[in-house]
């Protein structure tokens, strides 16, 4: 383990890829007041919002601070090419001094960084960004034609109704409804429900106050007060509990009889799976310049890693998902293992999830493989085929004669699983293998931890007891455990050149967290915008993380024991690493928030269902739009101006002690207006990107001038006179 954070650089030539940049939508003016800001600090370019939306009146919620940690010193025994992350480099905050004056006359006559040109396409109207110019992007795009007309031109909208996105239609409208904002008090207005979102608009402020929430974010709906029991103003209505930490309450007038209609429509479209309705993703038909479904191609990704080679082969033995229904169709397995061996090993691994390759070191050939627990049981069963298979994985790495098996569970849980037919590998049975337990708790513990965190962060923050309340949630303890486990895996592969097998119980929750984070630390490709999309598609989606059950897409069973914030924890861990290494990621935390918001929104088909097989059966790739279409079509919305492409070939070793971790307040506390920074950081980032582009162009010009001058002034070569 490392006592300090560091970056290790491999001896690989730099490759700086050119990144295309698309225009960003214009900013919108919104009303002030509610504090329930819209979700992603960066919403998605082509006119789309980022999913779990919020209230207008938002200022930028992007702190932009990177209060990282780092010792600045190199640990004893580190190789000369190890660069330690200094405190200054881990605390690279975008300064508040204006850069506008530095843009100079070169930017006159062209759109400034703060005034982006209109987007290329129109997307969802679920504004989830906390930034001012991210709120209500659709309204801005569609205003260019007619604010009062629906896209399909079938009818005229009232001023208090939302502008609809392709595939969206109105389901009901209730007037004289009061939104009980926990920060600014009651606001009266109109509540509209579509087949995609809830939209509230109050004309009491100037500009009007607006709130919109994708219905996929809704976890449960409860009626408040009864017709014969409610007394007093605003005591009769509904309360909506959301998956993104907030809860919203609306008061209805009993004489209007509007609550019943709103409740019925919300239940119907917030929980389409429970009502045998299609997800809105199958109705949404926006067109994007980039097709996000092509970002990940398994064979191409394996070839990028140098496969197949003499030690590893690519197989389509699971092409029909018969061998393992939760695994992808394409695997990379040891070349020494035959198809018969693979079939025999599936019988000894939980759910048939055998060890398959996730990542291979480009130099040492040490590997990260993932699987599920062995079916040892209380009798201590053994499988010669499974033991030989693990030996094949070790033998494929000529640099080491040892292999580590990283079991994500606490050892007590692993032992308890024997009673249910599972268990863990015995070091007596698996020669040259060392089993290590990483002490990461199960999905039920994580769900309870998030519930406690929600109580601490929303609606009000107890500043006097903030630290003790946060500690009582144990959320950062769990984040530390996951990060520490991933760091141990990366260390074994990079520093010790040994292969690692990773598993938990079934291999689709904690296993995905560990392998994806270790790969993020080891391979700079996954720290680029398209690479991060590939990482999620590969380690989470194709290998069967149960998104539908963990998130509860479209069903009303909010107390389902299968729900858990496993993927949220992974993204939080990515944020913690980004904070310590702000120059090593091509994207900002706005991309992470956009991904999380659309994890819930059901606007895109990316996170629907539990496995690759289910998505194939539902024809998700042909009938829905990919989230990566939105992101790859608008990369400039998520680009990090501090990114140094040279870090692409660096290995990151983050600090994982508690004093170097902090709550991701831009995500968890974004609805509270007191947590917003005074300056919109996304505008500062756009300015920095503009200046960076100018400087890069100037450097290129100077290099060309220097080359031309050297050519012109080079001495003339003459032959000797004899």
């Amino acid at each position: 383990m490392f006592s300090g954070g560091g970056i290790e650089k491999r001896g690989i030539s730099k490759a700086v890829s050119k990144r295309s940049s698309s225009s960003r939508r214009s900013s919108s003016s919104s009303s002030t007041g509610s504090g329930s800001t819209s979700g992603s600090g960066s919403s998605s370019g082509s006119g789309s919002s980022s999913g779990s939306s919020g209230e207008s009146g938002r200022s930028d919620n992007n702190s932009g601070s990177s209060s990282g940690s780092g010792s600045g010193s190199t640990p004893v025994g580190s190789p000369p090419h190890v660069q330690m992350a200094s405190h200054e480099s881990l605390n690279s905050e975008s300064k508040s001094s204006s850069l506008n004056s530095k843009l100079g006359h070169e930017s006159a006559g062209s759109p400034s960084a703060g005034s982006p040109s209109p987007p290329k396409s129109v997307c969802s109207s679920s504004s989830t960004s906390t930034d001012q110019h991210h709120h209500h992007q659709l309204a801005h795009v569609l205003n260019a034609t007619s604010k009062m007309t629906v896209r399909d031109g079938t009818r005229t909208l009232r001023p208090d109704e939302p502008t609809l996105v392709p595939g969206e239609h109105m389901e009901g409208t209730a007037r004289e409804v009061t939104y009980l904002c926990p920060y600014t008090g009651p606001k009266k207005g109109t509540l509209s429900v579509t087949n995609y979102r809830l939209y509230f608009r109050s004309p009491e402020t100037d500009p009007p106050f607006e709130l919109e929430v994708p219905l996929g974010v809704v976890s449960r709906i409860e009626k408040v007060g009864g017709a014969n029991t409610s007394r007093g103003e605003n005591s009769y209505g509904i309360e909506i509990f959301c998956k993104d930490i907030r809860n919203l309450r609306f008061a209805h007038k009993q004489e209007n009889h509007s609550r019943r209609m709103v409740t019925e429509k919300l239940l119907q479209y917030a929980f389409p799976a429970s009502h045998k309705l299609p997800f809105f993703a199958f109705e949404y038909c926006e067109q994007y310049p980039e097709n996000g479904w092509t970002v990940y191609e398994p064979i191409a990704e394996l070839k990028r890693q140098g496969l197949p080679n003499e030690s590893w082969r690519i197989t389509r033995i699971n092409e029909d998902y018969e061998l393992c229904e939760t695994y992808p169709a394409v695997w990379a397995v040891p070349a020494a293992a035959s198809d018969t061996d693979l079939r025999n090993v599936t019988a000894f691994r939980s759910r048939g999830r055998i060890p398959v390759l996730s990542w291979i070191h480009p130099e040492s050939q040490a590997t990260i493989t993932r699987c599920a627990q062995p079916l040892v049981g209380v009798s201590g069963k053994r499988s010669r085929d499974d033991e030989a298979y693990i030996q094949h994985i070790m033998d494929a790495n000529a640099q080491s004669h040892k292999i580590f098996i990283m079991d994500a569970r606490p050892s007590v849980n692993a032992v308890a699983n024997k009673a249910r037919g599972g268990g863990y590998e015995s070091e007596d049975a698996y020669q040259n293998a060392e089993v290590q337990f990483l002490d990461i708790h199960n999905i039920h513990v994580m769900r309870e931890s998030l519930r406690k965190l929600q109580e601490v962060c929303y609606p009000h923050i107890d500043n006097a007891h903030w630290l003790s309340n946060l500690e009582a949630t144990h959320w950062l303890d769990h984040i530390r455990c996951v990060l520490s486990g991933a760091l141990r895996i990366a260390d074994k592969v990079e520093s010790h050149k040994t292969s690692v097998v990773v598993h938990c119980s079934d291999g689709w929750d904690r296993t995905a967290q560990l392998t994806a984070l270790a790969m993020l630390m080891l391979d700079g490709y996954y720290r680029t915008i398209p690479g991060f999309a590939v990482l999620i598609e590969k380690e989470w989606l194709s290998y069967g993380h149960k998104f539908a059950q963990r998130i509860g897409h479209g069903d009303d069973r909010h107390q389902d024991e299968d729900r858990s914030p496993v993927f949220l924890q992974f993204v939080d861990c990515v944020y913690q690493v980004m904070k310590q290494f702000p120059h090593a990621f091509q994207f900002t935390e706005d991309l992470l928030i956009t991904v999380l918001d659309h994890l819930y929104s059901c606007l895109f088909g990316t996170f629907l269902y539990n496995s690759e097989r289910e998505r194939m059966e539902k024809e998700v790739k042909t009938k829905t739009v990919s989230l990566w279409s939105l992101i790859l079509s608008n990369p400039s919305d998520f680009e990090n101006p501090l990114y140094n492409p040279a870090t692409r070939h660096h290995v990151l070793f983050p600090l994982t002690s508690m004093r170097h971790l902090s709550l991701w307040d831009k995500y968890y506390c974004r609805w509270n207006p007191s947590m917003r920074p005074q300056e919109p950081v996304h505008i500062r980032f756009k300015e920095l990107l503009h200046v960076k582009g100018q400087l890069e162009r100037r450097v290129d010009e100077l290099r060309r001038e220097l080359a031309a001058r050297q050519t012109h002034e080079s001495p003339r070569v003459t032959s000797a006179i004899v």
Side-chain angles (χ1 to χ4, degrees):
M1 291 301 294
F2 289 87
S3 59
I7 308 179
E8 183 166 345
K9 182 179 180 181
R10 294 204 192 101
I12 305 175
S13 60
K14 291 190 297 182
V16 181
S17 59
K18 295 183 180 179
R19 291 165 291 174
S20 62
S21 138
S22 63
S23 303
R24 193 170 184 169
R25 58 201 155 287
S26 56
S27 62
S28 81
S29 57
S30 354
S31 66
T32 57
S34 111
S36 226
T37 59
S38 76
S40 112
S42 111
S43 198
S44 3
S46 49
S48 142
S49 65
S50 54
S52 145
S53 78
E55 305 163 11
S56 67
R58 14 177 114 64
S59 59
D60 186 291
N61 209 14
N62 193 348
S63 70
S65 71
S66 305
S67 69
S69 46
S71 65
S73 62
T74 305
V76 178
S78 295
H81 55 276
V82 172
Q83 302 176 13
M84 301 313 298
S86 68
H87 179 76
E88 290 78 10
S89 70
L90 299 181
N91 193 15
S92 122
E93 180 172 348
S94 178
K95 304 301 181 182
S96 58
S97 59
S98 173
L99 295 176
N100 289 330
S101 60
K102 297 182 182 180
L103 300 180
H105 63 277
E106 296 180 21
S107 61
S110 64
S112 69
S115 304
S117 55
K120 296 178 181 178
S121 60
V122 181
C123 187
S124 107
S125 60
S126 71
S127 169
T128 61
S129 159
T130 56
D131 300 0
Q132 282 183 338
H133 86 294
H134 287 155
H135 177 61
H136 247 326
Q137 305 147 25
L138 288 166
H140 279 277
V141 177
L142 297 181
N143 279 348
T145 54
S146 171
K147 185 174 182 179
M148 302 300 294
T149 305
V150 183
R151 190 183 183 89
D152 59 11
T154 56
R155 70 184 188 88
T156 300
L157 289 173
R158 295 171 54 95
D160 53 6
E161 292 180 347
T163 308
L164 307 181
V165 300
E168 185 181 17
H169 51 80
M170 293 292 299
E171 289 294 333
T173 301
R175 311 199 186 280
E176 297 185 84
V177 174
T178 302
Y179 168 56
L180 304 178
C181 177
Y183 303 110
T184 59
K187 297 182 181 299
K188 292 185 178 181
T190 301
L191 182 65
S192 302
V193 180
T194 74
N195 58 333
Y196 168 59
R197 60 181 156 154
L198 173 149
Y199 175 80
F200 176 80
R201 187 176 189 273
S202 172
E204 294 182 344
T205 58
D206 186 20
F209 170 84
E210 294 172 309
L211 164 70
E212 51 186 272
V213 183
L215 298 184
V217 176
V218 176
S219 176
R220 74 180 191 270
I221 301 166
E222 293 184 358
K223 293 181 179 180
V224 178
N228 300 321
T229 60
S230 298
R231 296 291 184 271
E233 190 177 9
N234 301 330
S235 60
Y236 177 86
I238 58 175
E239 188 164 10
I240 301 171
F241 298 85
C242 301
K243 299 169 185 174
D244 59 3
I245 292 185
R246 349 167 235 183
N247 56 306
L248 312 170
R249 184 168 175 177
F250 296 92
H252 293 251
K253 291 187 175 181
Q254 296 187 32
E255 60 269 21
N256 290 349
H257 305 290
S258 60
R259 185 178 76 167
R260 179 177 179 180
M261 179 275 297
V262 169
T263 303
E264 288 178 352
K265 294 298 182 182
L266 286 177
L267 288 171
Q268 184 178 6
Y269 290 100
F271 310 120
S274 298
H275 292 83
K276 295 182 170 35
L277 294 174
F279 291 103
F280 181 73
F282 290 92
E283 308 290 335
Y284 182 60
C285 52
E286 186 56 81
Q287 299 294 319
Y288 290 93
E290 298 290 336
N291 179 10
W293 291 123
T294 63
V295 69
Y296 172 62
E297 206 288 313
I299 300 292
E301 169 59 12
L302 291 172
K303 286 183 176 179
R304 185 192 71 84
Q305 296 187 34
L307 299 180
N309 56 30
E310 65 277 7
S311 300
W312 292 87
R313 67 184 178 96
I314 298 174
T315 177
R316 293 183 178 272
I317 191 173
N318 197 44
E319 191 166 20
D320 296 325
Y321 307 104
E322 293 179 355
L323 202 59
C324 178
E325 65 178 12
T326 60
Y327 260 16
V330 176
W331 303 350
V333 297
S338 67
D339 285 356
T340 301
D341 294 333
L342 300 181
R343 291 188 174 90
N344 292 338
V345 174
T346 57
F348 190 66
R349 290 282 167 173
S350 177
R351 316 282 182 175
R353 296 171 66 89
I354 73 170
V356 292
L357 182 85
S358 284
W359 190 79
I360 184 168
H361 195 286
E363 295 169 0
S364 70
Q365 301 298 293
T367 59
I368 299 175
T369 51
R370 58 178 298 168
C371 59
Q373 66 182 338
L375 301 178
V376 175
V378 291
S379 61
K381 289 187 296 184
R382 293 179 58 175
S383 168
R384 300 295 182 185
D385 294 304
D386 191 78
E387 293 164 16
Y389 187 80
I390 297 297
Q391 185 68 34
H392 291 325
I393 295 175
M394 189 193 75
D395 293 341
N397 173 18
Q399 299 276 348
S400 176
H401 299 289
K402 187 175 184 179
I403 190 168
F404 285 92
I405 299 175
M406 299 290 190
D407 193 322
R409 302 166 293 184
S411 58
V412 175
N413 295 22
V415 172
N417 272 330
K418 286 187 174 183
R420 294 190 288 270
Y424 59 93
E425 296 84 353
S426 167
E427 292 181 359
D428 295 332
Y430 293 83
Q431 299 297 317
N432 304 314
E434 181 179 331
V435 180
Q436 295 186 1
F437 296 98
L438 302 181
D439 297 323
I440 303 172
H441 288 281
N442 61 30
I443 61 172
H444 312 295
V445 174
M446 303 308 185
R447 181 177 61 249
E448 177 63 15
S449 179
L450 180 62
R451 185 193 64 77
K452 293 178 179 178
L453 183 64
Q454 290 174 322
E455 295 177 351
V456 170
C457 295
Y458 190 90
H460 299 291
I461 294 173
D462 182 359
N463 291 316
H465 303 93
W466 167 251
L467 292 177
S468 59
N469 290 342
L470 178 60
E471 182 183 16
T473 69
H474 298 292
W475 183 256
L476 290 180
D477 288 326
H478 300 315
I479 296 297
R480 178 189 58 79
C481 284
V482 175
L483 267 178
S484 297
L487 180 61
R488 288 169 69 175
I489 295 169
D491 179 33
K492 296 300 182 187
V493 172
E494 178 66 24
S495 304
H496 299 269
K497 297 180 172 53
T498 54
S499 296
V500 180
V501 177
V502 185
H503 70 74
C504 50
S505 295
D506 292 319
W508 50 45
D509 290 318
R510 289 165 285 192
T511 300
Q513 291 177 331
L514 293 168
T515 57
L517 285 169
M519 292 162 66
L520 190 82
M521 297 173 190
L522 291 164
D523 193 338
Y525 169 68
Y526 299 122
R527 302 192 292 267
T528 65
I529 293 175
F532 189 66
V534 169
L535 181 67
I536 292 176
E537 286 280 344
K538 181 179 186 296
E539 290 302 298
W540 289 90
L541 291 159
S542 74
Y543 280 103
H545 175 64
K546 301 196 296 184
F547 280 102
Q549 291 187 22
R550 296 291 179 258
I551 306 303
H553 286 143
D555 74 63
D556 55 5
R557 297 171 298 174
H558 63 272
Q559 293 184 326
D560 189 345
E561 289 292 303
D562 278 331
R563 295 196 182 182
S564 189
V566 177
F567 185 73
L568 169 60
Q569 283 185 317
F570 160 72
V571 177
D572 196 330
C573 289
V574 175
Y575 162 75
Q576 302 292 340
V577 180
M578 288 177 64
K579 190 183 62 168
Q580 295 191 30
F581 300 98
H583 309 294
F585 289 80
Q586 188 188 22
F587 50 87
T588 66
E589 61 184 306
D590 292 343
L591 177 88
L592 303 182
I593 296 177
T594 300
V595 168
L596 287 177
D597 286 337
H598 286 303
L599 169 68
Y600 305 123
S601 73
C602 296
L603 180 66
F604 300 100
T606 302
F607 295 113
L608 298 182
Y609 305 108
N610 289 319
S611 65
E612 181 178 288
R613 179 185 62 84
E614 290 185 18
R615 295 182 194 98
M616 289 286 291
E617 292 175 350
K618 300 295 183 180
E619 301 178 84
V620 168
K621 285 191 175 183
T622 58
K623 294 184 177 180
T624 71
V625 179
S626 169
L627 169 60
W628 313 121
S629 299
L630 169 70
I631 290 173
L632 296 177
S633 296
N634 306 276
S636 62
D637 288 348
F638 310 102
E639 284 183 3
N640 174 17
L642 304 177
Y643 176 59
N644 180 2
T647 62
R648 171 112 177 227
H649 304 296
H650 290 184
V651 177
L652 308 184
F653 292 131
L655 298 153
T656 60
S657 62
M658 283 297 294
R659 65 191 183 91
H660 295 298
L661 303 180
S662 62
L663 185 72
W664 188 11
D665 53 3
K666 184 185 173 182
Y667 180 75
Y668 299 109
C669 302
R670 56 183 165 159
W671 313 118
N672 193 320
S674 66
M675 300 298 291
R676 298 177 190 158
Q678 294 182 351
E679 180 185 31
V681 177
H682 70 272
I683 295 178
R684 183 64 51 197
F685 279 2
K686 294 295 286 187
E687 293 172 353
L688 286 171
L689 287 169
H690 184 83
V691 172
K692 182 180 180 181
Q694 288 182 328
L695 293 174
E696 288 174 344
R697 288 191 293 272
R698 181 58 179 157
V699 168
D700 291 339
E701 291 173 2
L702 292 174
R703 284 176 176 167
R704 287 194 296 268
E705 290 178 8
L706 181 60
R709 185 178 303 174
Q710 290 174 341
T711 302
H712 179 71
E713 295 178 354
S714 61
R716 188 173 300 172
V717 179
T718 58
S719 56
I721 299 175
V722 291

